[in-house]
Amino acid sequence: MVDGEQRRDALLDAATGVLLSRGYDKLTMVDVAEAAGLSRTIVYRHFASKRELVDAVAARALRGYAVRWRTALSEEPRPGTPGSIYRAGFRVVAADPLLTAIATRDPQVFGRYLRDPEATMPGPAGPEFLGLFLRRQQEAGVVRPGVDIASVAAVLEALTAAIMRAVQEHQGRPGSPSPDALIDTVTEMIDRMLTPPDVDTEAALALLDGVLDAGAGTPAQA
């Protein structure tokens, strides 16, 4: 027998597909019910409105992002530097159409949802989370002292969206850098700006794990 949590997951899976293919403005609860093979009544038992449904879609995607981000970081050549942490997160987002749409606030996907004052969707690593994490890194000696953390957090969030848009718009054009070259360059810039000469990368990874384990590191909760 299918329990309530399985039905909820099925609805979120269906809503993700409909959202990406049709966009928020054209999405209906009937569409989601049909895509999930369930009744509209069941959809409304779990979600009171379309906005609440998309809130839940984004929140689930961002919880999964935090786990995949930590896994991707372990594959970095020098995991634990600010640049490697940024690059690992960027690559996870860039590989997922929904996370990319969240990061760029794609109007074709989210439409009127972006103007809804009650919508709760954060970014994959919004300035609040980045600010928290960078401050903790600075306290642990992983980020250089004297760096204006609030400014860096705002710049990195804006930079992430701009890079993703550039990749989408210019990929394949003659003379355009590859996505990998682009993010490698940004990673180097971040490390030159933020990383001390003798950074303790083990301390950085322990700090990241602590933030994620505490729940404050999941961007959906930041």
Side-chain angles (χ1 to χ4, degrees):
M1 184 172 179
V2 178
D3 63 23
E5 194 62 31
Q6 288 176 311
R7 281 180 172 170
R8 189 176 192 277
D9 281 338
L11 291 171
L12 293 177
D13 289 341
T16 298
V18 175
L19 180 66
L20 290 172
S21 63
R22 302 185 192 177
Y24 179 82
D25 293 350
K26 293 183 179 179
L27 178 150
T28 70
M29 300 298 246
V30 173
D31 293 333
V32 173
E34 290 178 351
L38 298 168
S39 71
R40 183 174 61 175
T41 301
I42 291 176
V43 179
Y44 279 106
R45 284 178 186 169
H46 288 273
F47 306 102
S49 67
K50 181 167 74 170
R51 189 261 306 153
E52 185 177 301
L53 172 61
V54 173
D55 284 345
V57 165
R60 186 182 69 161
L62 293 167
R63 286 192 297 272
Y65 159 75
V67 175
R68 290 155 60 195
W69 174 33
R70 184 61 183 86
T71 300
L73 182 57
S74 67
E75 300 169 358
E76 284 287 314
R78 195 184 175 203
T81 68
S84 72
I85 291 169
Y86 179 85
R87 176 165 54 191
F90 181 93
R91 286 181 167 161
V92 170
V93 172
D96 186 305
L98 179 58
L99 289 173
T100 297
I102 291 171
T104 59
R105 294 297 195 265
D106 189 338
Q108 291 186 335
V109 173
F110 290 106
R112 289 191 294 270
Y113 177 88
L114 298 174
R115 301 189 295 275
D116 187 334
E118 295 186 3
T120 61
M121 179 180 71
E128 296 84 4
F129 168 69
L130 281 171
L132 166 68
F133 183 61
L134 288 170
R135 277 192 297 276
R136 292 186 181 178
Q137 282 193 309
Q138 194 174 50
E139 291 165 2
V142 181
V143 169
R144 289 192 300 103
V147 171
D148 184 338
I149 295 301
S151 296
V152 170
V155 167
L156 289 183
E157 187 189 36
L159 188 61
T160 299
I163 293 171
M164 288 187 172
R165 291 190 190 100
V167 169
Q168 291 171 334
E169 294 170 6
H170 302 291
Q171 192 167 6
R173 289 187 185 179
S176 295
S178 69
D180 283 345
L182 195 56
I183 191 56
D184 285 348
T185 298
V186 174
T187 298
E188 182 178 358
M189 290 168 57
I190 291 170
D191 273 339
R192 286 178 180 271
M193 179 176 64
L194 299 180
T195 307
D198 300 316
V199 62
D200 185 347
T201 54
E202 291 300 320
L205 293 175
L207 176 64
L208 175 60
D209 288 338
V211 170
L212 295 178
D213 289 345
T218 23
Q221 296 173 339

